[in-house]
Amino acid sequence: MYKQLSYQLLRLFIVILLCTVIFLVFHYTAKFIYPLIIAIMLSLGMHPAVTFLQKRFKFPRIAATLTVIVAAFLTFISFIFFIVNEVINGVISIADKIPGYFTKGTQILDHLTNSYLLPFYQKLASLVHTLDEEQQITIKEKVTDFANNMAVAAAEFLQQLLLSIPAFVSTLPNSVTIIIFIVLASFIITNDWDLLNTKMKSLFPARINSSGQRIMTQLKKATAGYIKAQVTLIFITFIVILVGLIVLQVDHPLTIAFLAACVDLLPYVGTGILFIPWILYLYMTGNFPLTIGLIVIYMIIVILRQILEPKVLASSIGLHPLAALIILFVGVQMLGMLGFLIAPVLLILVNAFYKAEIPQKIWQFIAKG
């Protein structure tokens, strides 16, 4: 009895130690190997298409790989061109209206200054003059200190901003090198997929290979499900905004809806980065009907996103909505914005390991060996 318990504790220790080692290795090497990880993920996505061309149309493997990579590159460039074209058209339209916006903004600022700031300053000045000389000196010192602190903070911010420009420029050659490495690695891995797959399998026992194969299968399904979920959510956001802007008779509804759908992927801010400044400006300029209309559209988007995201992710990836909601919440609470980005990856990994029955096999190893 004690001997069996000792072996179980030993196997538990081995599992914990192995998980710890894997985590530490990944943690300290991720910044060096992430281009290779990206290349492997791209190869996973391209492999089915390359195999289809190879088997269906009798393409040589290298020709099929080149065809898929070029097609993916052209699709990406076309997508970027479409975005740039839409943005340029929208910016040109907005540029024609900028002088009017500035004139209106100046009028609003002048009204705020005359109606609120100057009377407030006069009341504050009269209040200060009623104080004794020592109190007035103290207040002036505090105001001077505040102004100096603000100036120092502004100077430091500007200094850091200027210093960051050379750092950003210096990263550009490195970024180009990384992109070239990813493209070449993706080509090599995809072209030699079968050979590399066979060599990788020869390094591990059949039992591990079997589990690894199941994990990879589930990862493919979960990744495809996650992409489908995000496309669905973005499409819903796009349609809601487009219909709302058309009803409100806003100029360039297609461009605005497209941009809003794209920024919907940003953590925390989402469509708010576009709608909130717009709503504030319309309110300050007195365009209350359009202000109310945009608030309604924005609230509908926020509510739909909060309701549908866990459900859509769960149905697409294969997790229960409650499990998906818990993972998303824990990721955001523990890691903030980074957690918002990592949470979907955790969803995919948890689902893949669960569907591949890895937790059950680990427990079976600990209990029975």
Side-chain angles (χ1 to χ4, degrees):
M1 178 66 181
Y2 292 106
K3 185 177 181 180
Q4 181 182 0
L5 180 60
S6 299
Y7 281 129
Q8 289 176 345
L9 291 174
L10 178 61
R11 289 192 290 266
L12 175 61
F13 174 76
I14 292 172
V15 169
I16 295 174
L17 179 63
L18 183 61
C19 292
T20 304
V21 170
I22 292 173
F23 172 78
L24 292 175
V25 169
F26 180 79
H27 178 72
Y28 288 106
T29 61
K31 61 181 178 181
F32 302 109
I33 65 173
Y34 77 89
L36 181 61
I37 295 174
I38 295 174
I40 293 172
M41 293 174 66
L42 291 175
S43 298
L44 281 171
M46 293 188 296
H47 174 66
V50 172
T51 303
F52 175 78
L53 291 178
Q54 188 181 11
K55 293 182 177 180
R56 183 68 181 271
F57 299 101
K58 307 302 179 183
F59 275 42
R61 183 74 183 183
I62 188 170
T65 305
L66 281 173
T67 301
V68 172
I69 288 179
V70 170
F73 178 76
L74 291 177
T75 302
F76 177 75
I77 292 299
S78 301
F79 179 71
I80 294 299
F81 177 78
F82 174 74
I83 293 176
V84 171
N85 184 57
E86 287 294 319
V87 171
I88 288 175
N89 290 334
V91 169
I92 290 174
S93 175
I94 294 173
D96 294 335
K97 302 175 182 178
I98 282 179
Y101 291 155
F102 270 105
T103 302
K104 192 70 174 179
T106 303
Q107 292 174 355
I108 294 171
L109 184 61
D110 184 60
H111 173 71
L112 290 175
T113 302
N114 293 326
S115 300
Y116 299 102
L117 294 181
L118 285 178
F120 176 75
Y121 172 76
Q122 291 170 356
K123 289 180 180 179
L124 186 63
S126 61
L127 178 63
V128 170
H129 287 307
T130 61
L131 302 175
D132 59 49
E133 184 177 355
E134 184 178 349
Q135 290 174 326
Q136 292 184 32
I137 293 174
T138 302
I139 291 175
K140 289 179 181 179
E141 289 177 350
K142 295 296 183 182
V143 172
T144 303
D145 291 340
F146 176 76
N148 291 335
N149 291 333
M150 290 295 294
V152 170
E156 289 179 352
F157 173 77
L158 182 61
Q159 183 183 30
Q160 292 298 324
L161 181 64
L162 294 175
L163 290 175
S164 66
I165 294 175
F168 172 75
V169 173
S170 66
T171 61
L172 293 180
N174 188 45
S175 300
V176 173
T177 303
I178 290 172
I179 292 173
I180 294 174
F181 173 83
I182 291 173
V183 173
L184 292 176
S186 301
F187 172 78
I188 294 171
I189 293 171
T190 307
N191 187 55
D192 296 334
W193 183 271
D194 295 331
L195 177 62
L196 293 173
N197 191 32
T198 302
K199 286 187 176 181
M200 286 297 296
K201 287 182 178 180
S202 66
L203 298 175
F204 301 99
R207 187 176 179 182
I208 294 179
N209 285 327
S210 176
S211 298
Q213 187 63 38
R214 284 196 295 272
I215 292 174
M216 291 304 299
T217 301
Q218 296 301 327
L219 278 174
K220 291 178 184 177
K221 292 181 180 179
T223 302
Y226 176 73
I227 294 173
K228 177 183 176 183
Q230 290 300 327
V231 171
T232 301
L233 291 169
I234 291 174
F235 180 74
I236 292 172
T237 299
F238 174 78
I239 293 299
V240 170
I241 295 174
L242 180 63
V243 172
L245 295 181
I246 291 174
V247 171
L248 295 174
Q249 298 181 345
V250 175
D251 294 334
H252 303 287
L254 182 62
T255 302
I256 297 172
F258 181 78
L259 292 174
C262 289
V263 299
D264 193 36
L265 288 171
L266 294 175
Y268 289 117
V269 290
T271 53
I273 197 173
L274 178 65
F275 273 89
I276 293 176
W278 193 6
I279 290 170
L280 290 175
Y281 174 80
L282 291 173
Y283 176 77
M284 294 174 66
T285 55
N287 193 342
F288 300 118
L290 188 54
T291 301
I292 295 172
L294 290 181
I295 290 174
V296 171
I297 294 175
Y298 181 56
M299 293 306 298
I300 290 174
I301 294 168
V302 172
I303 292 171
L304 281 178
R305 187 83 183 187
Q306 296 300 318
I307 293 174
L308 293 179
E309 185 168 21
K311 185 173 179 59
V312 172
L313 282 175
S315 60
S316 299
I317 296 176
L319 278 177
H320 191 277
L322 180 60
L325 184 63
I326 290 173
I327 292 175
L328 289 171
F329 178 78
V330 171
V332 172
Q333 291 299 315
M334 291 182 63
L335 301 173
M337 185 175 292
L338 182 61
F340 198 96
L341 298 173
I342 292 176
V345 180
L346 291 177
L347 277 173
I348 294 173
L349 290 176
V350 168
N351 174 74
F353 275 79
Y354 177 77
K355 291 290 183 66
E357 299 181 348
I358 300 302
Q360 296 91 319
K361 291 185 179 296
I362 291 175
W363 176 251
Q364 185 178 4
F365 169 76
I366 294 172
K368 300 180 181 179

